[in-house]
Amino acid sequence: MSAMDAAQLDEAMTRLAAGGTRVLSRAVSLVENGEPRGLDLLERVYATAPHPWVIGFTGVGGAGKSTLLPRMAAHFAARGEYVAILAVDPSSPITGGAVLGDRIRSTEAPDERIYFRSLATRGGTGGLATCIADVVRLMSAAGRRIVLVETVGAGQSEVAIRDVAHATVVVTAPGLGDEVQAMKAGILEIGTVLAVNKADLPGADEAANTLQHVMALAPGAGHMTEGLNEARDGHPARWFPPVLKVCARSGAGMEALIARLEEHRAFQERSGEYARRNLARDRARMDERLRSLLMERALARARATGVWQTVERRLQAGETDPMRAAREIADAIPIQ
Ligand SMILES: Nc1nc2c(ncn2[C@@H]2O[C@H](COP(=O)(O)OP(=O)(O)OP(=O)(O)O)[C@@H](O)[C@H]2O)c(=O)[nH]1
Ligand SMILES: [Mg+2]
């Protein structure tokens, strides 16, 4: 648990940069478990590694996300890119069978250009979004500048991924009947691309058409074409989510999907949105780190002056309650 010295950190960073998956897996565990050595490492990681390009994938269970991500990663890898796939499941216990299976899979991955990892974290003290952001940045330090993130389970993880991703692919498939559900959840609004997977199955065309119609009815959709709409009639350039049919099983449509995402990234870079998202992430991380540093210092101070012990004794004796006790300690800590 003890912290690492400078020489050990240098070595850890060098080994990370070499791209080895075993070293990377150990580093992720340190960060995921919120260990002091993980924090030491993160200080180096944030100081040296740039933000990677992060693409989030969301959509109902069974749409084919877990099949699609490795397939997409393989296409990136074939171009010589190093990629990370993160599956985020805050609901599953750390010792869960599926997660264990996934972790084993990561060390057996046939292509070292593709690193797979599932995160079963509940986010520790800093919250889920912070943990994902840290792991994402760690991937960059390990030379993986493209990170694909799959949300598993609904709600919390989707929000956390939206915070950290530059783009979101909403995945659906024929026969799931979830178009209406997706509309209700407002999920179409967050999509960069709407991918209708399982194009090999009957009903894929119909599902894609339905989605296109739904999108055309969205507020502000009038006269927009799929993808990039250049500035005109007083409107700035805007992005309208294209609907794409893909087949994760055969890989059909994968290059088109990647091309759309790259087009979107170029648009974001040009408009400044890409940098804005990175900055928002950095600000959130700064605040989170500041919170925990101040907390550590304040508690150390309260213990050193004996205030914490005095109030805690009164709590034990039933002379105060937890809420009042906390306020008493906080009030006794001088803030210069
Ligand atoms: N026919 C066909 N089946 C597919 C395709 N892609 C995925 N599947 C199948 O669909 C099922 C669900 O795929 P997953 O990749 O596990 O779906 P998921 O979205 O990750 O599901 P959750 O993790 O439960 O949310 C599996 O049986 C896949 O083999 C495809 O392109 N065509
Ligand atoms: Mg899955």
Side-chain angles (χ1 to χ4, degrees), residues 85-321:
I85 299 176
L86 303 176
V88 179
D89 185 0
S91 59
S92 91
I94 295 215
T95 52
V99 170
L100 209 58
D102 285 345
R103 288 191 177 187
I104 289 162
R105 186 142 60 91
S106 76
T107 58
E108 284 174 353
D111 187 347
E112 63 157 25
R113 287 180 193 276
I114 302 171
Y115 175 78
F116 178 92
R117 173 75 182 218
S118 73
L119 299 174
T121 181
R122 282 161 207 277
T125 47
L128 182 64
T130 302
C131 180
I132 298 171
D134 288 348
V135 172
V136 156
R137 196 69 164 246
L138 197 53
M139 295 301 137
S140 171
R144 294 163 196 280
R145 301 282 155 79
I146 301 176
V147 182
L148 313 178
V149 190
E150 174 185 357
T151 39
V152 184
Q156 195 196 359
S157 54
E158 266 162 28
V159 175
I161 285 174
R162 222 178 309 158
D163 275 355
V164 78
H166 298 96
T168 304
V169 178
V170 179
V171 186
T172 181
L176 294 176
D178 62 327
E179 288 86 5
V180 177
Q181 220 178 308
M183 274 186 287
K184 275 196 207 136
I187 217 149
L188 299 183
E189 282 145 46
I190 64 148
T192 305
V193 176
L194 311 178
V196 177
N197 187 34
K198 309 190 190 183
D200 55 315
L201 294 186
D205 286 332
E206 204 189 316
N209 287 338
T210 307
L211 273 179
Q212 263 156 345
H213 281 120
V214 169
M215 289 306 294
L217 296 173
H223 309 301
M224 292 242 266
T225 56
E226 290 194 345
L228 180 61
N229 291 259
E230 291 295 352
R232 70 180 153 86
D233 307 335
H235 288 294
R238 282 174 298 173
W239 181 264
F240 191 75
V243 176
L244 279 187
K245 277 184 295 175
V246 297
C247 182
R249 206 166 256 181
S250 70
M254 225 48 61
E255 286 300 325
L257 176 56
I258 290 172
R260 281 301 200 179
L261 289 165
E262 284 174 335
E263 200 188 325
H264 179 258
R265 177 183 170 158
F267 167 57
Q268 281 188 325
E269 281 175 337
R270 197 153 51 92
S271 71
E273 178 63 18
Y274 197 83
R276 264 196 298 280
R277 283 189 184 225
N278 288 343
L279 180 59
R281 178 69 1 249
D282 282 345
R283 275 210 197 98
R285 193 61 185 98
M286 180 178 79
D287 282 350
E288 186 55 49
R289 184 75 183 122
L290 180 59
R291 234 188 301 278
S292 66
L293 282 174
L294 288 178
M295 186 70 188
E296 272 168 33
R297 285 178 197 186
L299 276 179
R301 182 77 183 247
R303 289 209 171 91
T305 56
V307 172
W308 189 90
Q309 291 87 336
T310 308
V311 176
E312 199 266 346
R313 242 176 271 125
R314 287 179 41 234
L315 183 72
Q316 262 190 51
E319 293 164 14
T320 185
D321 65 86

